[in-house]
Amino acid sequence: MMTAAKLIRAGMVVAFQQGEHRLLKNGCVVVEGDRVVHVGPEVEGSFEEILDLPDALLTPGLIDMHAHLTSASYDRSYVEDVGKPGFWFSGLPELLPAIGAAMDEEAQRAAVDYSMAELTRSGTTTVFEIGWLGDYTAAAVERAGLRAYIGEGYGSARWRTLDGKRMSYDWKPDGGMEGLEAAATFVKRIEGRAGGRIRGMLTPMQVAMATPELLQRTRAVAAELNVPVTLHTAEAVFEFHEMVQREGMTPVQWLAAQDFLDERTILGHCVFTSGNSWVRHPGDDLARLADSGASVAHCPWVFARRGIAMESFAAYLEAGITMCLGSDTAPQSILHAMRHAAIISKLQEHDCRKPTAVEVFNAATLAPARVLGRDDLGRIAPGAKADLLLWDMTGFSMVPCRDPIRNLVYYAGSEDLHHVMVDGEWLMTDKALLKIDEASARGNLARAAQRIWEAVGPGDWAGRGIDQLSPQSLKEFQ
């Protein structure tokens, strides 16, 4: 072995073999540059660095396929426990526009900087960012050492409520084409940055706010640039009804009719499909998705928090749909998403076997890598990128450990993650972040949040302040 190589010994290694994750006990992984070059039992050679951790679990880095880094952090302590039945408890009509209007660019930048620390600490090494400050986000990702696919959102319309009772749609004269061209220019600007860690993608944001012409042009540009496409689909009951009333089809049926669904397409959420108990609409959405090759980025927590569940993650898998996981909201943790995806699906299925821990772990590793066309991500194998996580197996959450994937999915916390590597570089060792000033990131976010909370009002249709929109849980002590 080359003397510049790193040798990592771990008591348990989730290694890739014959198309699947397998458990290698007392394994060795050798990293040269940004790649894994050896996986197996003990190996001879001279190494620049040797890490010997018999009580550690070594896994591939996790992949977050749906994130909003400029805003997700501000959901914390604002969106929980409140919602309007008339909007089927979605936060999209009132809660998010009100706080979004109160955010300035400085606050969005603070959220991005904080997100770099949160992602690293929870084991996300690749993130799929759907946002607005693309250039700033790319710079932050580069500094933090993470891997990202970044897209700047665009659409043919925007939705809003004028009276708190119904949604209206304001359509753009150009149908969103100018936004698409700006998004494509952005992709060209960042593609391949940071030694290939930063890539671009296209995101026409929301199915109910995209014209057929915008989708057709998006698909053509995506093929030209060879980038993935994602859009929010079937994420709200009011959106589902809008599409059925406007187009006579479910959101999934309508996308299929536009010939938009293929292996390049990732549908964000896709919860309200035909047969879902919230919409009681007949159809074959899951079969259409499976036949198309399109994938789904499932974000279980953002819906569970509102009393809503996908029906169910296991059913989508059984239909043959490629299922990935996303964070979407706070906390930005795929560890958190795996646990909720597994448990909520079991509740929906009334079956403790559906899905298994390894199925949700695959949704955070192998499945998104396949969707992105990256056989070098989501696995520990010779030739794969050295995006690696080392979990301490001696902590309260992880002892005892007979099956490391079950422990990881059902019990582990971010405090159990001690070392993070991306592209062969350490981003965290012994729980210390090496490229991020965490104290500054937390402080800036807290100050920005306070400023935002005080500014909430003008963005709400009724001008309500934050304590009217989201009352405090406890009355003030007198």
Side-chain angles (χ1 to χ4, degrees), residues 193-212:
R193 183 169 162 178
R197 286 189 289 108
I198 297 174
R199 306 283 299 274
M201 55 99 168
L202 296 178
T203 174
M205 291 308 292
Q206 220 290 333
V207 62
M209 295 184 285
T211 63

Side-chain angles (χ1 to χ4, degrees), residues 162-308:
L162 299 174
D163 57 7
K165 299 175 183 177
R166 60 187 63 84
M167 298 295 282
S168 64
Y169 294 78
D170 300 327
W171 294 91
K172 298 177 182 179
D174 74 340
M177 291 297 180
E178 184 178 340
L180 167 56
E181 295 309 315
T185 299
F186 167 74
V187 167
K188 295 173 185 176
R189 189 162 64 244
I190 65 161
E191 185 71 15
R193 183 169 162 178
R197 286 189 289 108
I198 297 174
R199 306 283 299 274
M201 55 99 168
L202 296 178
T203 174
M205 291 308 292
Q206 220 290 333
V207 62
M209 295 184 285
T211 63
E213 294 76 19
L214 185 68
L215 294 183
Q216 291 164 11
R217 180 61 183 153
T218 292
R219 183 169 180 177
V221 173
E224 175 189 329
L225 299 177
N226 192 27
V227 296
V229 178
T230 190
L231 76 165
H232 297 72
T233 302
E235 64 173 329
V237 175
F238 68 80
E239 168 228 322
F240 184 96
H241 289 324
E242 171 70 20
M243 293 303 292
V244 170
Q245 292 164 11
R246 186 202 301 169
E247 307 293 347
M249 291 179 273
T250 71
V252 169
Q253 288 170 342
W254 186 74
L255 288 174
Q258 310 313 310
D259 195 28
F260 188 73
L261 300 177
D262 61 17
E263 292 82 359
R264 196 188 300 276
T265 312
I266 303 121
L267 301 185
H269 307 311
C270 212
V271 168
F272 300 104
T273 53
S274 57
N276 182 281
S277 64
W278 284 74
V279 295
R280 300 291 184 189
H281 192 90
D284 58 353
D285 283 350
L286 298 193
R288 286 175 185 267
L289 284 173
D291 290 344
S292 72
S295 57
V296 170
H298 177 40
C299 307
W301 172 240
V302 73
F303 289 95
R305 192 176 59 197
R306 312 214 69 76
I308 298 166

Side-chain angles (χ1 to χ4, degrees), residues 370-429:
R370 184 168 65 252
V371 169
L372 297 172
R374 300 290 301 268
D375 61 4
D376 59 345
L377 297 182
R379 70 204 65 198
I380 302 177
K385 287 286 190 178
D387 294 3
L388 306 173
L389 309 177
L390 280 152
W391 306 83
D392 177 25
M393 303 301 290
T394 66
F396 281 102
S397 299
M398 299 293 272
V399 166
C401 181
R402 173 182 161 271
D403 184 321
I405 295 300
R406 289 180 188 168
N407 273 33
L408 195 66
V409 169
Y410 297 121
Y411 304 104
S414 57
E415 66 275 8
D416 297 305
L417 180 60
H418 283 205
H419 304 270
V420 177
M421 175 185 283
V422 173
D423 242 16
E425 269 198 78
W426 293 112
L427 307 189
M428 184 170 79
T429 57

